[in-house]
């Protein structure tokens, strides 16, 4: 229905490109109004026709932009290039001129692909992938392989065609004996950015080269814990927590290089008067996050004057002795929350009686918990205590429900008679 209406407008328009395009715009505006009014019946064929119409309009736009650029009439309006003219006169990005130019060159170079695109056998997604792959160095090989490229695009989805083009590029670069072939060209794109947002969260973004991406993926998958019954985290959230665990494990290594006269560390500030905790950027943390951090941290008192300037630094409160830390890890072997079993390398030390309540570093006051369950315990104000056997951990909820975490099983051999 959509295509037929546009076709009728074309047929009624004067035989000129300008009039035909204007007629198509009016037809599209008419159809948009019909959709807004709810007077159009939409089914699968309607959606397919719309998608086909988009591909045709994109193709027409690429061709007209190319002809317009060849005429260089954009200079009459004081623009030095097509990209600037497009950005000033349309809603295009600055890069669109270059993109249209790349697409036009590929369509001129591979007329068979242009025919397939015009007839609806392939789409704009295929064209974008082809334009990225067919560089000046690979142009002759693309002409030689045109039929293979067209046939593959007609048969494959955009995702599958992208994989095919990656393979084709690798083969071409190998034939050309390009010293910068494969991931060598992608290495220059590698980047990682980390910055804090207005609400205190951090944004991590970047681009990894193929091998580095596989390395990070493998490390995150290995660090992601198995899902237990009470774990409601999504996969992205679990991946986030795995990355934090990897970084925390790295910071805990004794051979970390010294930065600013001390080992790398995470600093959290706590106001002694209010008890509020915040990061150096003054983003405040919840009370249970503060309590979780105090379980396994070195605490140093810093006294501030009325203007907020430090005038005295007290001695650090002794952290958990290394021998006690080793002993509790050897005893527990994993996260002691019921059903978790996260290995000890991913755990933190929790004080059963909190340090703020004068809890000490004795073994019977320490237990290993993974970061997720450590936060879980503090958030829900769960109370831990040892059962009468001294080795089974009782986890008590505020509503009175108690669950029991037995120690890790030990293999034993019966005495021979």
């Amino acid at each position: 229905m959509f295509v037929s209406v546009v076709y009728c407008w074309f047929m009624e328009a004067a035989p000129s490109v300008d009039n035909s395009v204007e007629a198509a715009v009016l037809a599209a505006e008419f159809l948009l109004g019909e959709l807004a009014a709810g007077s159009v019946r939409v089914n699968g064929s309607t959606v397919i026709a719309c998608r086909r119409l988009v591909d045709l309009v994109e193709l027409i736009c690429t061709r007209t932009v190319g002809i317009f650029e060849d005429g260089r009439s954009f200079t009459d309006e004081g623009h030095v290039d097509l990209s600037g003219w497009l950005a000033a006169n349309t809603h295009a990005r600055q890069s669109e001129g270059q993109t249209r130019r790349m697409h036009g060159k590929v369509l001129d170079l591979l007329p068979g692909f242009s025919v397939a695109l015009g007839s609806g056998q392939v789409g704009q997604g295929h064209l974008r992938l082809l334009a990225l792959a067919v560089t000046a160095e690979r142009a002759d090989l693309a002409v030689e392989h045109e039929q293979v490229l067209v046939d593959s695009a007609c048969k494959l989805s955009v995702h599958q065609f992208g994989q095919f083009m990656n393979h084709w590029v690798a083969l071409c670069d190998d034939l050309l004996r390009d010293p910068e072939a494969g991931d060598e060209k992608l290495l220059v794109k590698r980047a990682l950015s980390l910055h804090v947002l207005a609400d205190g969260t951090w944004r991590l973004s970047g681009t990894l080269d193929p091998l580095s991406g596989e390395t990070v993926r493998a490390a995150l998958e290995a660090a992601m814990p198995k899902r237990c019954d009470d774990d409601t985290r999504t996969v992205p959230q679990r991946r986030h927590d795995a990355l934090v665990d990897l970084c925390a494990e790295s910071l805990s290594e004794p051979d970390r290089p010294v930065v600013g006269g001390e080992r790398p560390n995470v600093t959290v500030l706590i106001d002694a008067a209010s008890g509020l905790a915040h990061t150096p950027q003054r983003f405040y943390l919840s009370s249970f996050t503060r309590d979780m951090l105090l379980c396994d941290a070195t605490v140093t008192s810093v006294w501030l004057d009325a203007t907020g300037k430090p005038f005295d630094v007290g001695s650090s409160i002794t952290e958990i002795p290394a021998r006690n830390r080793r002993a509790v890890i050897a005893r527990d072997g994993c996260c002691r929350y019921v059903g978790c079993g996260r290995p000890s390398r991913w755990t933190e030390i929790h004080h059963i009686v909190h340090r703020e309540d004068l809890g000490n570093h004795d073994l019977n006051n320490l237990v290993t918990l993974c970061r997720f369950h450590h936060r879980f315990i503090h958030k829900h104000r769960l109370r831990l205590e040892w059962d009468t056997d001294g080795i089974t951990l009782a986890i008590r909820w505020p509503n009175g429900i108690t669950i029991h975490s037995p120690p890790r099983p030990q293999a034993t051999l019966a005495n021979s008679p």
Side-chain angles (χ1 to χ4, degrees):
M1 175 263 195
F2 275 42
V3 175
S4 63
V5 170
V6 173
Y7 179 79
C8 291
W9 278 78
F10 276 156
M11 293 300 98
E12 294 173 4
S16 72
V17 173
D18 285 346
N19 286 345
S20 296
V21 172
E22 289 176 3
V25 171
L26 290 174
E29 291 175 347
F30 167 77
L31 293 172
L32 189 60
E34 293 291 299
L35 285 170
S39 57
V40 177
R41 289 189 302 170
V42 175
N43 53 32
S45 61
T46 308
V47 175
I48 293 172
C50 284
R51 185 62 253 181
R52 169 90 175 99
L53 188 58
V54 168
D55 285 339
L56 281 173
V57 171
E58 287 285 347
L59 179 57
I60 292 170
C61 185
T62 296
R63 289 304 195 186
T64 55
V65 166
I67 296 170
F68 180 73
E69 183 178 28
D70 290 341
R72 299 193 63 80
S73 57
F74 53 81
T75 58
D76 297 340
E77 300 180 24
H79 295 282
V80 296
D81 57 26
L82 176 67
S83 296
W85 184 91
L86 280 173
N89 290 275
T90 70
H91 300 295
R93 301 185 304 272
Q94 284 285 348
S95 60
E96 181 162 334
Q98 181 180 0
T99 300
R100 297 286 181 189
R101 190 180 303 113
M102 289 172 53
H103 289 185
K105 287 181 178 179
V106 168
L107 295 174
D108 290 338
L109 186 70
L110 306 175
F113 191 88
S114 180
V115 172
L117 183 59
S119 62
Q121 299 177 75
V122 299
Q124 287 292 320
H126 296 91
L127 175 59
R128 283 191 290 271
L129 293 169
L130 196 63
L132 290 172
V134 181
T135 59
E137 298 82 6
R138 305 184 192 112
D140 291 341
L141 288 172
V143 172
E144 182 181 342
H145 302 156
E146 178 178 9
Q147 195 57 51
V148 174
L149 295 174
V150 173
D151 290 344
S152 299
C154 291
K155 295 176 183 176
L156 301 175
S157 68
V158 173
H159 176 71
Q160 292 170 330
F161 187 62
Q163 295 176 324
F164 172 85
M165 290 309 300
N166 286 340
H167 189 203
W168 180 81
V169 166
L171 290 174
C172 288
D173 290 348
D174 189 54
L175 287 173
L176 295 170
R177 303 202 177 278
D178 185 353
E180 296 294 320
D183 65 333
E184 289 299 318
K185 286 185 177 179
L186 301 177
L187 285 174
V188 298
K189 296 182 179 180
R190 69 189 188 279
L192 195 65
S193 300
L194 181 66
H195 59 276
V196 64
L197 303 181
D199 63 353
T201 57
W202 290 74
R203 169 86 33 93
L204 176 67
S205 60
T207 300
L208 305 178
D209 64 82
L211 184 58
S212 297
E214 289 294 335
T215 302
V216 172
R217 178 201 57 77
L220 290 177
E221 286 187 357
M224 286 174 66
K226 65 179 182 179
R227 192 186 296 275
C228 53
D229 293 339
D230 63 333
D231 193 346
T232 59
R233 291 174 293 176
T234 63
V235 171
Q237 288 172 337
R238 293 170 65 226
R239 191 178 294 118
H240 163 281
D241 293 351
L243 176 61
V244 174
D245 283 344
L246 287 170
C247 294
E249 182 192 28
S250 175
L251 289 178
S252 68
E253 293 295 330
D255 60 348
R256 293 297 87 191
V258 173
V259 178
E262 61 179 346
R263 288 180 55 199
N265 62 84
V266 176
T267 299
V268 173
L269 308 174
I270 302 176
D271 187 326
S274 65
L276 295 176
H278 59 84
T279 66
Q281 291 81 21
R282 298 201 68 84
F283 290 109
Y284 286 87
L285 308 175
S286 66
S287 59
F288 58 83
T289 299
R290 178 204 62 197
D291 293 344
M292 181 188 75
L293 292 171
L294 286 174
C295 273
D296 197 1
T298 299
V299 181
T300 302
S301 59
V302 179
W303 297 90
L304 308 178
D305 62 19
T307 65
K309 294 181 180 179
F311 67 87
D312 187 27
V313 178
S315 59
S316 297
I317 298 176
T318 306
E319 62 181 3
I320 301 172
R323 63 180 182 275
N324 291 29
R325 184 182 295 274
R326 287 193 296 268
V328 71
I329 289 174
R331 182 197 68 199
D332 294 341
C334 61
C335 172
R336 285 300 301 270
Y337 196 87
V338 179
C340 180
R342 189 97 158 112
S344 57
R345 62 179 294 202
W346 305 118
T347 59
E348 301 172 343
I349 305 298
H350 172 70
H351 285 73
I352 294 177
V353 178
H354 297 173
R355 295 175 70 174
E356 283 188 311
D357 299 328
L358 303 181
N360 56 36
H361 300 319
D362 293 345
L363 290 184
N364 61 0
N365 194 46
L366 304 178
V367 65
T368 56
L369 294 169
C370 69
R371 180 179 292 264
F372 172 75
H373 283 116
H374 195 181
R375 175 179 289 271
F376 189 86
I377 291 286
H378 282 281
K379 182 176 182 179
H380 296 283
R381 308 295 182 187
L382 306 188
R383 185 163 54 90
L384 307 184
E385 58 185 44
W386 298 106
D387 278 350
T388 54
D389 61 6
I391 56 175
T392 299
L393 186 67
I395 305 172
R396 304 190 189 281
W397 286 74
N399 61 5
I401 295 177
T402 301
I403 52 179
H404 298 272
S405 174
R408 60 176 176 168
Q410 300 288 340
T412 58
L413 296 176
N415 295 328
S416 299

